[in-house]
Amino acid sequence: MPRLKRGAASLITRLVGLSLLLLLVVQIAGFGVVRQSIEANARRQVARELDIAEHVWERMLAQKVEQLRDSATLLAADYGFRSAINSGDVETVQSVLENHGSRIGATVTAFLDPQFKVTASSLADEHMGLDQRLIADLPAYLSRNPTGAPLIVIQGVPHQFVMVPMRAPLIIGWVLMGFPVSQDLGKEMGLLLQVDVVLVTQSEGQRRLAFSTTTPEVTQRALAQAEGAELSGGSELVLARHVPMKSRNGEVETILLRSAEEVLAPYRRLQWLLALISGGGLLLVALGSSLVARRITTPLRDLLLATQRLAVGEYQTPIAHLERRDEIGNLARAFDHMRVDIDHQQSEIRHLAYWDRLTGLPNRERFREALEQAIRDNTPLARPLAVVSLDLDRFKHVNDVLGYAFGDRLLQAVAGRLQNLVTEPGDLVARRGGNEFAVLLQGCDAKAALEFTQRIARAFEVPLAFDDQTIDLSAGMGVACWPADADNADLLLSRSEIAMYTAKRKLSGALLYDAAFDSASGQMLSLLTEMRRAVEHNELRLFLQPKVSLPGGQVLAAEALVRWQHPQRGLVPPMDFIPFAEQTGFVRQLTLWMFEAATRLIAGLPEPLAGLRISINLSTRDLLDPELSTRLGTLLQRHEVRPERFCLEITESAIMDDPQRAETMLNRLSEQGFKLSIDDFGTGYSSLAYLKRLPVDELKIDKSFVMGMEKDEDDAKIVRSTIDLAHNLGLSVVAEGVESAAIMERLGQLQCDEAQGYHISRPLPAEAFLTWCAQQTAVTAPAA
């Protein structure tokens, strides 16, 4: 449960966090765009104000010059001043110049004679030489620039001068007036336009600050910066405008400074307001997102709880929020449909887990649980119970010949007959799988259980009729009793099966479990394991028994046989493992092993034996294998051997077990090029008409008739008739079991084609067989 809460909280946090993050990104981006726009607008506005300030500054200087010129003109026209000039009263002239200059703010006043020699001046005596040098070329300059007012730097301070002629009517002198460009003028500029002024002069290689109306820190930044529009290095945004001014000596530059903070101040307040609004918006979005997320996660939490209930098998509680008409409601309805479907499927699975769908009987697991419960219930009462295991005979044959649908009908009919035999309460019939059934008999001892198996046998005596087919029923049955044979359900079932398999092997119908059966069953399992290991570890050996021509004794062929060289038990006789291999189906692996071993042998035969043919026996299971021809063809291709080098021997019983499938496979093998032979001919019940249809090339007379030819004339007649029959059908004949020279001579007289038996040679290992063939060829070669 805590994990569920953490998961829901995590989803809420992610939803709210993502919403806030997106909004914050948008707000920051918008705030940045607004800030950049505001600063750009502020710079443009300040630049325009500096343009105006530059014009105003130049106009102020021009007005000051005009004021100075008017004052100088007025002084030049003053009667008293002219009288003092005419009378040569220097002291009066100088006093008038000083008083008039102080009244109009002129710091420099002087009167010059027509030759521009200073007659009187307000400057101190020690500056007169400087003054004479500065104003020496003013008349020439003024003649070239009649409206110009040059700047002259005096001791680092720029001054503006005007010079007005005094006429009577001819020029009798010049009135010279000048004033410094001072801080007062800069302050006046600041009062008009809120612009600071920094005035800088440079003469004789030395740069000096004339005055500044701003702070020392801003002044230093302005002086340190080259021509530019913005001062750097401070917390305040200040824009500068550099205005160079005309000067007679040195360089004069006015720096106009305008702070953008006053322009930005209203916008700053607006930005703070926007920030507050954004913060409020973030808070509202956080609250709204949290509410929306909770509205989403609460149903999801309920759905998660529902899945946990489903996980533990609780399918009855409906899913919540089914009434909603949004996506959550759709999801809830989908979950509820899933719950109903799972409940239905689980019910069906439980039924499939305990009941057989074909017959409707309990299955192996249900039978086992019922047996366990019966043992628990009967333990206090000490009542015995019995288990009967039953396996139908020839059921695979029914499936192969009549089809699986017919086999299913057979199983249903058997289930019905068994259920009709069980009448006591608590008894149970089950299908354990395939064609195996089991019956639980409560309160039943060994004697009563065997009597019940007799009732089953009698019930099976009545054949089953389906459409136009009639099936005879029989079964192998095994009985095991509790508590005599086993003390638990699994062991009781196992021992009833052991008794059943033993009964089938001995064809005994029904057997009661015996402890001796366990060892036989264990030996069978051990034998199957050892046989698989024998193939994997190359413990099998190929033996060959020669077939010779009649007459002449030339080696034409050999029959391939398999022997087992067991690491502990030595050479195991064929009869000790071949029947078991037939019973378990392992004979298919043995056949393939023999065929590959024979193929390798043929591929490496010397030239004298290049035409040797090898016979290999095929069992019923081999013929019913639909892949047999493909597997043999693959082995031939791998070793580059032609199929004509092999003769495949089939018993009559193998053919008649499933004639239709056998005929199909034999036709396929014949088309591949294999020679086919009927082995042990004369011991079966095959129809001659059916035999004529088979694509066989050879008949092999059973050795029992051949060995009896010397003593029993009837056997000799059978052999002669078989030879004649085979020749009339265009088949060759091989007689096996030739034990003496007399039999071999008699077979030659009967025109038998080939002979095989101990008189010729016993089965030999492959290497010994090749040696024997070489010796036999050396003996028969001269005769040839």
Side-chain angles (χ1 to χ4, degrees):
M1 196 64 172
R3 292 172 56 189
L4 176 60
K5 290 183 177 179
R6 285 197 298 270
S10 175
L11 180 58
I12 293 174
T13 302
R14 290 197 296 271
L15 288 175
V16 174
L18 181 60
S19 300
L20 292 179
L21 178 62
L22 293 176
L23 181 59
L24 186 61
V25 169
V26 172
Q27 293 286 2
I28 291 175
F31 193 81
V33 171
V34 170
R35 181 181 178 88
Q36 293 294 329
S37 178
I38 289 174
E39 291 185 356
N41 289 333
R43 286 186 175 89
R44 286 193 294 269
Q45 182 175 342
V46 170
R48 288 194 297 270
E49 292 181 3
L50 288 176
D51 290 339
I52 296 172
E54 181 179 351
H55 292 298
V56 170
W57 175 251
E58 291 176 351
R59 184 60 183 163
M60 286 178 66
L61 293 178
Q63 287 179 350
K64 195 69 175 179
V65 170
E66 291 297 326
Q67 182 183 1
L68 192 62
R69 180 177 286 109
D70 291 342
S71 296
T73 302
L74 182 62
L75 180 61
D78 184 75
Y79 179 77
F81 183 68
R82 293 172 68 91
S83 297
I85 293 296
N86 290 330
S87 63
D89 189 355
V90 177
E91 292 182 359
T92 300
V93 172
Q94 187 167 344
S95 175
V96 172
L97 289 173
E98 291 177 356
N99 292 331
H100 192 78
S102 62
R103 185 169 60 250
I104 65 174
T107 58
V108 177
T109 56
F111 180 76
L112 289 71
D113 63 12
Q115 289 75 31
F116 304 109
K117 181 179 180 182
V118 178
T119 304
S121 174
S122 62
L123 291 174
D125 293 338
E126 61 270 18
H127 299 304
M128 291 303 295
L130 177 63
D131 298 340
Q132 185 67 30
R133 178 165 47 88
L134 292 173
I135 65 177
D137 57 351
L138 280 177
Y141 177 81
L142 291 174
S143 65
R144 293 191 301 270
N145 301 278
T147 59
L151 284 176
I152 298 177
V153 180
I154 301 176
Q155 294 182 345
V157 179
H159 288 70
Q160 280 191 316
F161 290 92
V162 296
M163 191 166 66
V164 179
M166 183 180 289
R167 300 176 185 273
L170 299 175
I171 297 175
I172 61 173
W174 300 84
V175 177
L176 177 67
M177 287 190 178
F179 71 93
V181 182
S182 63
Q183 188 170 5
D184 292 336
L185 192 61
K187 290 181 178 180
E188 184 179 354
M189 182 75 173
L191 292 174
L192 287 174
L193 298 176
Q194 296 181 340
V195 174
D196 291 313
V197 180
V198 176
L199 194 63
V200 181
T201 65
Q202 185 170 347
S203 61
E204 298 178 356
Q206 184 178 6
R207 193 183 190 198
R208 296 176 63 180
L209 174 65
F211 69 86
S212 174
T213 62
T214 185
T215 62
E217 186 265 337
V218 175
T219 301
Q220 291 299 322
R221 288 163 55 196
L223 293 175
Q225 187 183 17
E227 175 71 22
E230 181 179 328
L231 301 187
S232 60
S235 59
E236 183 181 6
L237 178 61
V238 179
L239 278 74
R241 176 67 59 79
H242 293 253
V243 182
M245 302 177 68
K246 296 180 181 180
S247 173
R248 293 290 297 150
N249 62 325
E251 297 178 0
V252 179
E253 183 181 41
T254 300
I255 304 176
L256 301 177
L257 303 174
R258 179 68 168 97
S259 174
E261 295 302 318
E262 295 179 1
V263 179
L264 292 173
Y267 298 106
R268 301 286 191 204
R269 290 190 294 271
L270 180 60
Q271 285 180 308
W272 279 109
L273 180 60
L274 289 175
L276 291 175
I277 294 174
S278 299
L282 288 173
L283 181 60
L284 290 176
V285 169
L287 293 175
S289 300
S290 179
L291 291 176
V292 172
R294 289 185 181 279
R295 179 170 173 78
I296 294 175
T297 56
T298 298
L300 292 180
R301 186 183 297 112
D302 295 338
L303 292 177
L304 185 56
L305 289 173
T307 59
Q308 292 177 343
R309 291 195 300 269
L310 294 178
V312 297
E314 182 183 341
Y315 304 109
Q316 307 307 316
T317 304
I319 304 297
H321 308 287
L322 296 175
E323 71 284 353
R324 294 180 59 155
R325 296 304 173 192
D326 54 6
E327 288 78 2
I328 296 295
N330 293 336
L331 183 61
R333 285 186 287 275
F335 264 84
D336 198 60
H337 288 314
M338 182 182 70
R339 173 188 66 83
V340 174
D341 291 342
I342 292 177
D343 186 25
H344 176 72
Q345 292 174 4
Q346 288 294 321
S347 299
E348 188 171 343
I349 289 172
R350 284 191 295 270
H351 185 270
L352 292 176
Y354 291 105
W355 298 89
D356 177 57
R357 175 174 290 185
L358 177 64
T359 61
L361 296 176
N363 61 8
R364 172 185 287 268
E365 186 61 28
R366 178 70 186 91
F367 186 83
R368 179 180 174 278
E369 290 186 1
L371 180 57
E372 288 181 337
Q373 185 63 44
I375 291 175
R376 287 194 295 270
D377 294 342
N378 288 336
T379 298
L381 304 176
R383 295 175 58 208
L385 57 85
V387 171
V388 178
S389 292
L390 178 149
D391 185 273
L392 297 178
D393 295 332
R394 300 180 301 280
F395 180 72
K396 185 178 183 304
H397 179 74
V398 172
N399 271 342
D400 292 339
V401 175
L402 301 178
Y404 289 97
F406 196 93
D408 291 343
R409 295 174 65 185
L410 174 62
L411 293 174
Q412 292 170 342
V414 170
R417 289 196 180 183
L418 292 176
Q419 283 184 304
N420 292 334
L421 295 176
V422 175
T423 57
E424 297 298 326
D427 291 353
L428 182 68
V429 178
R431 182 189 176 200
R432 299 185 63 184
N435 58 323
E436 292 186 19
F437 293 83
V439 182
L440 170 62
L441 303 174
Q442 300 206 47
C444 186
D445 57 11
K447 180 179 178 182
L450 288 175
E451 291 176 355
F452 182 79
T453 61
Q454 296 303 316
R455 291 169 56 194
I456 294 175
R458 288 193 296 273
F460 282 5
E461 289 177 357
V462 180
L464 287 173
F466 298 112
D467 301 331
D468 57 346
Q469 296 288 342
T470 300
I471 304 299
D472 291 326
L473 288 179
S474 63
M477 291 174 280
V479 178
C481 299
W482 177 87
D485 296 327
D487 58 357
N488 61 75
D490 291 330
L491 188 58
L492 189 64
L493 285 170
S494 174
R495 288 181 172 174
S496 70
E497 287 183 347
I498 291 173
M500 177 189 71
Y501 288 128
T502 304
K504 287 182 70 66
R505 189 168 63 253
K506 294 183 178 182
L507 303 178
S508 301
L511 284 179
L512 185 65
Y513 170 77
D514 190 297
F517 297 164
D518 273 333
S519 60
S521 177
Q523 288 176 2
M524 289 179 64
L525 293 177
S526 174
L527 183 60
L528 182 59
T529 302
E530 290 183 355
M531 287 178 65
R532 290 195 178 100
R533 187 190 63 193
V535 174
E536 295 171 359
H537 292 77
N538 197 27
E539 295 176 5
L540 301 180
R541 300 290 182 266
L542 179 66
F543 275 58
L544 297 165
Q545 187 174 26
K547 294 180 181 180
V548 298
S549 62
L550 292 176
Q554 183 182 359
V555 180
L556 300 177
E559 181 177 0
L561 305 168
V562 63
R563 299 292 185 265
W564 182 4
Q565 187 66 46
H566 195 279
Q568 283 81 34
R569 291 186 282 175
L571 197 63
V572 181
M575 292 306 297
D576 287 355
F577 66 91
I578 295 296
F580 178 73
E582 289 272 6
Q583 180 182 352
T584 59
F586 192 76
V587 70
R588 291 180 179 178
Q589 284 84 338
L590 292 181
T591 300
L592 291 176
W593 181 91
M594 289 177 60
F595 191 86
E596 185 168 15
T599 305
R600 286 197 301 265
L601 178 68
I602 290 177
L605 285 177
E607 183 62 29
L609 297 176
L612 184 73
R613 184 179 66 253
I614 294 183
S615 298
I616 294 180
N617 289 282
L618 297 183
S619 69
T620 303
R621 292 183 181 270
D622 290 323
L623 284 180
L624 297 181
D625 180 7
E627 301 297 324
L628 175 64
S629 59
T630 303
R631 293 191 176 99
L632 298 185
T634 301
L635 293 175
L636 290 175
Q637 186 177 9
R638 181 186 304 167
H639 298 284
E640 299 181 353
V641 175
R642 296 183 59 79
E644 292 80 1
R645 304 293 297 279
F646 286 93
C647 180
L648 304 180
E649 297 184 359
I650 308 100
T651 61
E652 290 182 83
S653 59
I655 298 172
M656 302 311 297
D657 214 22
D658 188 346
Q660 185 175 359
R661 291 178 64 183
E663 182 180 359
T664 301
M665 179 54 66
L666 289 175
N667 284 325
R668 194 180 305 169
L669 293 171
S670 178
E671 290 171 0
Q672 282 183 264
F674 290 104
K675 183 178 180 180
L676 302 179
S677 174
I678 301 297
D679 194 13
D680 300 335
F681 186 80
T683 60
Y685 304 93
S686 57
S687 167
L688 292 179
Y690 186 76
L691 179 61
K692 185 178 179 181
R693 291 166 46 195
L694 295 176
V696 296
D697 305 284
E698 176 184 280
L699 291 184
K700 195 172 185 181
I701 306 173
D702 185 70
K703 61 183 178 181
S704 61
F705 302 118
V706 175
M707 294 171 65
M709 287 177 61
E710 289 184 298
K711 300 179 182 179
D712 192 338
E713 190 60 30
D714 290 336
D715 288 338
K717 293 178 181 178
I718 292 175
V719 172
R720 182 174 61 250
S721 299
T722 303
I723 294 172
D724 292 340
L725 172 65
H727 287 164
N728 290 332
L729 292 175
L731 308 178
S732 61
V733 183
V734 178
E736 63 176 339
V738 178
E739 302 293 328
S740 65
I743 295 177
M744 188 168 178
E745 183 179 356
R746 182 77 180 271
L747 288 171
Q749 295 171 355
L750 296 176
Q751 298 182 347
C752 183
D753 299 300
E754 297 177 19
Q756 173 185 350
Y758 280 12
H759 173 70
I760 301 169
S761 174
R762 291 177 176 271
L764 300 172
E767 296 81 1
F769 170 78
L770 294 178
T771 302
W772 182 90
C773 286
Q775 295 172 352
Q776 190 71 13
T777 302
V779 172
T780 59

